[in-house]
Amino acid sequence: MTTTTLERAPLGADERAEWARRHTLTRYLPHKVEREDRDDGTILLRSGYDLPEAVPNTGAWLHKWAEKAPYRVALSERPVDGPGWRNMTYLELLQQVRAIGSSLLARGLGQDDTIAILSGNGLDHLLIALAAQYIGVPVVPLAEQYALIPEAHGRLIYVLNKVKPKLAFVDDATRYSAAIALPELAEVEIVAARGSADRPVTMFSELMNGAEADVDAAYAKVGPETLAKILFTSGSSSDPKGVPTTHRMMCVNQAQFAAALPFIGDTPPRITDWLPWNHVFGGSHNVNMILCHGGTLTIDSGKPTGKAFSTTLQNRIDRPGTMAYNVPVGWKMLVDAIRDKPDIQKHLFKDQEMLFYAGASLPQDVWEALESFCFEARGGLPLINSSWGLTETAPSCLVVHEPIGRSGVIGVPLPGVEVKLIPDADMRCEIRVRGPNVMQGYFEDPEKTAAAFDEEGFFITGDAVRFVDPNDAARGLVFDGRVSEDFKLDTGTWVQAGNLRMTALKGLAGLAQDVVICGHDRGEVGLFIFPVPGSAEPGEITEGAITDTHLMTQIEVALREMNSHVTGSAKRITRALILAEPPSLQHQEITDKGSLNIKKILTRRADLLERLYDNEDPGLIRI
């Protein structure tokens, strides 16, 4: 067994000058990684930096900044029914959190209860969540489509039956009237910021008025192990799992980021952000990062979608901030929208210290466009980086914290995180993690908890990574698909389904909206294809499969072209079926993130799976 400490090699004089010229305003730490190679081939990675002590609970941040910067704006959003901005200072935030907390205590809520939040991001949503955390009542933020789309009510009911909330919050009772009329909420107090429904609803303003209750005593009982929230996974391979998230997990993760990215503490950060709070990065990282460092969060009601992007763009123009978080498609939309608008480019990027992407790799041309905007706006580059983590890790375990000049790298371990890598013959590594930011187990699910950890207590993530440089761990890791989606053919050959899916989507661009890789315990790899809407002739369907000859021929040609560049059965798609029915939200074939629930699709469409391997089927595309 060997242990080494790896740090970035010193730069030569010319390189140092270029480095300084390009990165002028962001203070960063070079990657430093301790690597341990075990005799069984397993690799352990740790940060070379120490983990500082974290605060005991999220309320500590509110007290700190209400005292140090009472009149600094903490939260801001555009009001629903008027112009301008609704702003809340840190002093006002603490006062409102304590008032709402007292109202919750007066209703008898305690640490054994839960509050379900059915609506999306908003200042009132955040107030009730922070108030509940302040007095030790866990909140359960849910994807708003669970409540707004009738076909998704099954998933909402599943979660409600799991957590049994004592109170539920919606921003608009009228808009959410169908959801709050569900029998599962019949005995639950509904609190709404506005609107009405065909059942009693408590106005949020009533909670804001406060009540007679010992808030200080309740807050004194909130410690690192107190449950702050229960987040539900997106359910891409099964029903969503509840992840109990403690105050320790969230507070430690902010201490880890502060250690790795010291510039965040140099000046109060400002962000304008749309990332949803029912997901761990938006709700547990971005919100907490602002509160931890006394910054300002502008709540963006837009999204990187066709209809909502204009709202996001206007919000970012009005409040450009000092750091920006987005998914790759959001960055691409922004680049395309301002490519020929140098004044807006300068306005948006002149104060940026960090541009962050996650969820997928940022296209290199988008990366380079952002670099050029920043050079023109400020004469140097901010840190452009990414991170990796899961709902179960609160969220981050890896982060890029030095300039690297390229997309796709997910970083090195944060201080306090241990990473276990289990390499295969091709040096693709299954990644497992443990640390103070990692959950202890799933909510009321001992069976899934037992299966989630290995014998050393490492969380089995199901993800795969590769080294940027196998001889230098400090260069970082690259995401390489989901091990948990991989399967074996009947020959014993492993199929890397996640990677093959991305290859298929690229090869079928313009023909396939999404695909499912099939072939577990079969002799060949097959493909379920969800076609681009309108690409097939109406009526060309045979028992659930599209049999449009023209579309089938186009797909066959594209797959043959893909196969011409690969060798081996694990990368060769030999058959495909075009599915007539799109993924069903009602039958949980789509997660709240919009990704496919592979297990549900294969189970629900088992008859089509058999047809995929029937060489006589009229809908089969045979390659």
Side-chain angles (χ1 to χ4, degrees), residues 95-132:
Q95 292 171 339
Q96 284 297 307
V97 161
R98 287 174 58 83
I100 296 166
S102 69
S103 296
L104 298 176
L105 289 171
R107 286 162 162 75
L109 275 81
Q111 294 191 11
D112 294 330
D113 300 308
T114 61
I115 295 174
I117 300 179
L118 309 187
S119 51
N121 299 7
L123 205 156
D124 294 330
H125 170 154
L126 190 52
L127 285 175
I128 196 169
L130 292 175

Tab-separated table of all heavy atoms in Angstrom, residues 95-132:
chain	number	residue	atom	x	y	z
A	95	GLN	N	-35.970	38.152	12.003
A	95	GLN	CA	-37.219	38.463	12.713
A	95	GLN	C	-38.385	37.653	12.152
A	95	GLN	O	-39.199	37.106	12.914
A	95	GLN	CB	-37.505	39.964	12.619
A	95	GLN	CG	-36.522	40.822	13.390
A	95	GLN	CD	-36.683	42.314	13.100
A	95	GLN	OE1	-37.246	42.708	12.063
A	95	GLN	NE2	-36.190	43.157	13.995
A	96	GLN	N	-38.486	37.566	10.827
A	96	GLN	CA	-39.580	36.821	10.216
A	96	GLN	C	-39.453	35.320	10.486
A	96	GLN	O	-40.456	34.643	10.733
A	96	GLN	CB	-39.616	37.085	8.713
A	96	GLN	CG	-40.186	38.429	8.328
A	96	GLN	CD	-41.652	38.567	8.756
A	96	GLN	OE1	-42.486	37.728	8.443
A	96	GLN	NE2	-41.946	39.622	9.491
A	97	VAL	N	-38.252	34.798	10.425
A	97	VAL	CA	-38.038	33.375	10.706
A	97	VAL	C	-38.477	33.054	12.132
A	97	VAL	O	-39.139	32.028	12.379
A	97	VAL	CB	-36.560	33.015	10.469
A	97	VAL	CG1	-36.186	31.716	11.167
A	97	VAL	CG2	-36.282	32.902	8.980
A	98	ARG	N	-38.138	33.897	13.073
A	98	ARG	CA	-38.522	33.639	14.473
A	98	ARG	C	-40.036	33.785	14.661
A	98	ARG	O	-40.656	33.011	15.402
A	98	ARG	CB	-37.769	34.591	15.398
A	98	ARG	CG	-36.280	34.214	15.530
A	98	ARG	CD	-35.512	35.255	16.346
A	98	ARG	NE	-36.045	35.437	17.675
A	98	ARG	CZ	-35.760	34.678	18.733
A	98	ARG	NH1	-34.928	33.647	18.601
A	98	ARG	NH2	-36.282	34.931	19.914
A	99	ALA	N	-40.645	34.752	13.980
A	99	ALA	CA	-42.098	34.916	14.098
A	99	ALA	C	-42.831	33.715	13.523
A	99	ALA	O	-43.756	33.174	14.150
A	99	ALA	CB	-42.530	36.194	13.384
A	100	ILE	N	-42.429	33.286	12.325
A	100	ILE	CA	-43.075	32.111	11.713
A	100	ILE	C	-42.795	30.870	12.547
A	100	ILE	O	-43.677	30.021	12.744
A	100	ILE	CB	-42.584	31.933	10.265
A	100	ILE	CG1	-43.003	33.128	9.416
A	100	ILE	CG2	-43.135	30.643	9.659
A	100	ILE	CD1	-42.294	33.205	8.085
A	101	GLY	N	-41.579	30.767	13.076
A	101	GLY	CA	-41.253	29.636	13.938
A	101	GLY	C	-42.159	29.567	15.146
A	101	GLY	O	-42.607	28.485	15.553
A	102	SER	N	-42.457	30.718	15.740
A	102	SER	CA	-43.347	30.733	16.902
A	102	SER	C	-44.757	30.280	16.525
A	102	SER	O	-45.426	29.574	17.294
A	102	SER	CB	-43.387	32.130	17.524
A	102	SER	OG	-44.052	33.052	16.673
A	103	SER	N	-45.210	30.657	15.323
A	103	SER	CA	-46.544	30.226	14.868
A	103	SER	C	-46.583	28.717	14.654
A	103	SER	O	-47.595	28.064	14.937
A	103	SER	CB	-46.913	30.951	13.573
A	103	SER	OG	-47.029	32.344	13.774
A	104	LEU	N	-45.503	28.158	14.141
A	104	LEU	CA	-45.445	26.703	13.945
A	104	LEU	C	-45.431	25.982	15.291
A	104	LEU	O	-46.111	24.962	15.467
A	104	LEU	CB	-44.209	26.339	13.123
A	104	LEU	CG	-44.150	26.912	11.700
A	104	LEU	CD1	-42.826	26.549	11.039
A	104	LEU	CD2	-45.314	26.402	10.859
A	105	LEU	N	-44.669	26.507	16.235
A	105	LEU	CA	-44.635	25.896	17.570
A	105	LEU	C	-46.006	25.952	18.234
A	105	LEU	O	-46.432	24.998	18.901
A	105	LEU	CB	-43.607	26.614	18.442
A	105	LEU	CG	-42.131	26.381	18.093
A	105	LEU	CD1	-41.249	27.327	18.891
A	105	LEU	CD2	-41.735	24.927	18.377
A	106	ALA	N	-46.702	27.076	18.050
A	106	ALA	CA	-48.032	27.223	18.652
A	106	ALA	C	-49.019	26.210	18.100
A	106	ALA	O	-50.027	25.884	18.755
A	106	ALA	CB	-48.547	28.638	18.423
A	107	ARG	N	-48.760	25.688	16.926
A	107	ARG	CA	-49.610	24.645	16.330
A	107	ARG	C	-49.203	23.251	16.790
A	107	ARG	O	-49.786	22.262	16.342
A	107	ARG	CB	-49.522	24.727	14.799
A	107	ARG	CG	-50.269	25.903	14.209
A	107	ARG	CD	-49.835	26.221	12.799
A	107	ARG	NE	-50.819	27.048	12.111
A	107	ARG	CZ	-50.998	28.348	12.347
A	107	ARG	NH1	-50.242	28.956	13.246
A	107	ARG	NH2	-51.920	29.035	11.695
A	108	GLY	N	-48.181	23.180	17.605
A	108	GLY	CA	-47.755	21.891	18.137
A	108	GLY	C	-46.733	21.166	17.301
A	108	GLY	O	-46.429	19.992	17.567
A	109	LEU	N	-46.179	21.815	16.279
A	109	LEU	CA	-45.190	21.140	15.454
A	109	LEU	C	-43.871	21.006	16.199
A	109	LEU	O	-43.449	21.927	16.911
A	109	LEU	CB	-44.957	21.900	14.150
A	109	LEU	CG	-45.941	21.567	13.014
A	109	LEU	CD1	-47.239	22.330	13.180
A	109	LEU	CD2	-45.324	21.887	11.655
A	110	GLY	N	-43.233	19.854	16.000
A	110	GLY	CA	-41.954	19.586	16.640
A	110	GLY	C	-41.067	18.769	15.733
A	110	GLY	O	-41.365	18.551	14.551
A	111	GLN	N	-39.976	18.279	16.283
A	111	GLN	CA	-38.972	17.581	15.493
A	111	GLN	C	-39.465	16.261	14.912
A	111	GLN	O	-38.847	15.729	13.986
A	111	GLN	CB	-37.707	17.363	16.323
A	111	GLN	CG	-36.990	18.654	16.676
A	111	GLN	CD	-35.605	18.437	17.255
A	111	GLN	OE1	-35.071	17.338	17.224
A	111	GLN	NE2	-35.001	19.496	17.785
A	112	ASP	N	-40.564	15.722	15.424
A	112	ASP	CA	-41.109	14.468	14.893
A	112	ASP	C	-42.128	14.693	13.777
A	112	ASP	O	-42.680	13.729	13.239
A	112	ASP	CB	-41.756	13.651	16.021
A	112	ASP	CG	-40.740	13.174	17.039
A	112	ASP	OD1	-39.578	12.952	16.644
A	112	ASP	OD2	-41.097	13.042	18.224
A	113	ASP	N	-42.388	15.954	13.442
A	113	ASP	CA	-43.361	16.273	12.397
A	113	ASP	C	-42.626	16.677	11.113
A	113	ASP	O	-41.408	16.832	11.094
A	113	ASP	CB	-44.276	17.412	12.848
A	113	ASP	CG	-45.065	17.059	14.105
A	113	ASP	OD1	-45.712	16.003	14.107
A	113	ASP	OD2	-44.997	17.836	15.082
A	114	THR	N	-43.400	16.860	10.048
A	114	THR	CA	-42.825	17.357	8.792
A	114	THR	C	-43.769	18.387	8.178
A	114	THR	O	-44.979	18.383	8.431
A	114	THR	CB	-42.598	16.233	7.761
A	114	THR	OG1	-43.855	15.620	7.442
A	114	THR	CG2	-41.635	15.185	8.271
A	115	ILE	N	-43.177	19.263	7.354
A	115	ILE	CA	-43.935	20.241	6.578
A	115	ILE	C	-43.642	19.986	5.104
A	115	ILE	O	-42.482	20.004	4.681
A	115	ILE	CB	-43.533	21.682	6.941
A	115	ILE	CG1	-43.901	21.982	8.396
A	115	ILE	CG2	-44.190	22.682	5.988
A	115	ILE	CD1	-43.411	23.344	8.874
A	116	ALA	N	-44.682	19.727	4.329
A	116	ALA	CA	-44.520	19.517	2.886
A	116	ALA	C	-44.647	20.859	2.169
A	116	ALA	O	-45.561	21.638	2.465
A	116	ALA	CB	-45.553	18.538	2.364
A	117	ILE	N	-43.736	21.123	1.236
A	117	ILE	CA	-43.800	22.340	0.432
A	117	ILE	C	-44.049	21.912	-1.009
A	117	ILE	O	-43.213	21.268	-1.633
A	117	ILE	CB	-42.500	23.151	0.547
A	117	ILE	CG1	-42.267	23.532	2.016
A	117	ILE	CG2	-42.560	24.389	-0.329
A	117	ILE	CD1	-41.006	24.317	2.268
A	118	LEU	N	-45.231	22.253	-1.521
A	118	LEU	CA	-45.673	21.754	-2.822
A	118	LEU	C	-45.347	22.684	-3.978
A	118	LEU	O	-45.356	22.251	-5.132
A	118	LEU	CB	-47.191	21.498	-2.796
A	118	LEU	CG	-47.753	20.648	-1.651
A	118	LEU	CD1	-49.229	20.370	-1.917
A	118	LEU	CD2	-46.980	19.359	-1.477
A	119	SER	N	-45.085	23.956	-3.701
A	119	SER	CA	-44.855	24.915	-4.779
A	119	SER	C	-43.364	25.180	-4.954
A	119	SER	O	-42.538	24.770	-4.136
A	119	SER	CB	-45.604	26.217	-4.502
A	119	SER	OG	-45.320	26.694	-3.200
A	120	GLY	N	-43.029	25.890	-6.030
A	120	GLY	CA	-41.640	26.106	-6.387
A	120	GLY	C	-40.978	27.223	-5.606
A	120	GLY	O	-41.469	27.677	-4.570
A	121	ASN	N	-39.827	27.675	-6.129
A	121	ASN	CA	-39.025	28.677	-5.439
A	121	ASN	C	-39.800	29.970	-5.225
A	121	ASN	O	-40.575	30.400	-6.077
A	121	ASN	CB	-37.766	28.999	-6.248
A	121	ASN	CG	-36.859	27.788	-6.444
A	121	ASN	OD1	-37.211	26.669	-6.097
A	121	ASN	ND2	-35.699	28.034	-7.009
A	122	GLY	N	-39.576	30.597	-4.087
A	122	GLY	CA	-40.196	31.871	-3.775
A	122	GLY	C	-39.775	32.307	-2.388
A	122	GLY	O	-39.370	31.491	-1.552
A	123	LEU	N	-39.872	33.609	-2.132
A	123	LEU	CA	-39.419	34.134	-0.852
A	123	LEU	C	-40.222	33.552	0.301
A	123	LEU	O	-39.655	33.195	1.343
A	123	LEU	CB	-39.508	35.665	-0.881
A	123	LEU	CG	-38.565	36.412	0.069
A	123	LEU	CD1	-38.310	37.826	-0.425
A	123	LEU	CD2	-39.112	36.470	1.489
A	124	ASP	N	-41.535	33.423	0.150
A	124	ASP	CA	-42.356	32.855	1.220
A	124	ASP	C	-42.019	31.381	1.447
A	124	ASP	O	-42.004	30.907	2.594
A	124	ASP	CB	-43.842	33.021	0.892
A	124	ASP	CG	-44.273	34.482	0.877
A	124	ASP	OD1	-43.671	35.288	1.625
A	124	ASP	OD2	-45.184	34.822	0.102
A	125	HIS	N	-41.779	30.659	0.371
A	125	HIS	CA	-41.328	29.267	0.469
A	125	HIS	C	-40.074	29.199	1.344
A	125	HIS	O	-39.972	28.380	2.269
A	125	HIS	CB	-41.045	28.754	-0.945
A	125	HIS	CG	-40.353	27.428	-1.027
A	125	HIS	ND1	-40.488	26.599	-2.108
A	125	HIS	CD2	-39.494	26.768	-0.202
A	125	HIS	CE1	-39.761	25.505	-1.929
A	125	HIS	NE2	-39.141	25.610	-0.787
A	126	LEU	N	-39.117	30.078	1.076
A	126	LEU	CA	-37.864	30.037	1.822
A	126	LEU	C	-38.060	30.453	3.273
A	126	LEU	O	-37.433	29.886	4.192
A	126	LEU	CB	-36.830	30.945	1.144
A	126	LEU	CG	-35.391	30.839	1.659
A	126	LEU	CD1	-34.911	29.392	1.675
A	126	LEU	CD2	-34.463	31.696	0.813
A	127	LEU	N	-38.924	31.403	3.514
A	127	LEU	CA	-39.184	31.838	4.888
A	127	LEU	C	-39.729	30.691	5.742
A	127	LEU	O	-39.264	30.469	6.866
A	127	LEU	CB	-40.161	33.011	4.899
A	127	LEU	CG	-39.613	34.375	4.485
A	127	LEU	CD1	-40.739	35.400	4.436
A	127	LEU	CD2	-38.518	34.829	5.442
A	128	ILE	N	-40.708	29.970	5.218
A	128	ILE	CA	-41.279	28.885	6.027
A	128	ILE	C	-40.282	27.746	6.186
A	128	ILE	O	-40.213	27.097	7.238
A	128	ILE	CB	-42.622	28.401	5.451
A	128	ILE	CG1	-43.377	27.572	6.505
A	128	ILE	CG2	-42.457	27.602	4.164
A	128	ILE	CD1	-44.816	27.273	6.148
A	129	ALA	N	-39.463	27.512	5.160
A	129	ALA	CA	-38.454	26.456	5.265
A	129	ALA	C	-37.406	26.811	6.319
A	129	ALA	O	-37.038	25.967	7.158
A	129	ALA	CB	-37.794	26.235	3.908
A	130	LEU	N	-36.906	28.047	6.295
A	130	LEU	CA	-35.898	28.458	7.268
A	130	LEU	C	-36.476	28.514	8.679
A	130	LEU	O	-35.787	28.186	9.658
A	130	LEU	CB	-35.320	29.815	6.874
A	130	LEU	CG	-34.468	29.833	5.603
A	130	LEU	CD1	-34.064	31.264	5.259
A	130	LEU	CD2	-33.233	28.955	5.759
A	131	ALA	N	-37.734	28.925	8.794
A	131	ALA	CA	-38.372	28.968	10.111
A	131	ALA	C	-38.518	27.564	10.688
A	131	ALA	O	-38.271	27.337	11.880
A	131	ALA	CB	-39.738	29.644	10.008
A	132	ALA	N	-38.934	26.622	9.840
A	132	ALA	CA	-39.063	25.243	10.301
A	132	ALA	C	-37.710	24.690	10.727
A	132	ALA	O	-37.576	24.065	11.792
A	132	ALA	CB	-39.671	24.386	9.189
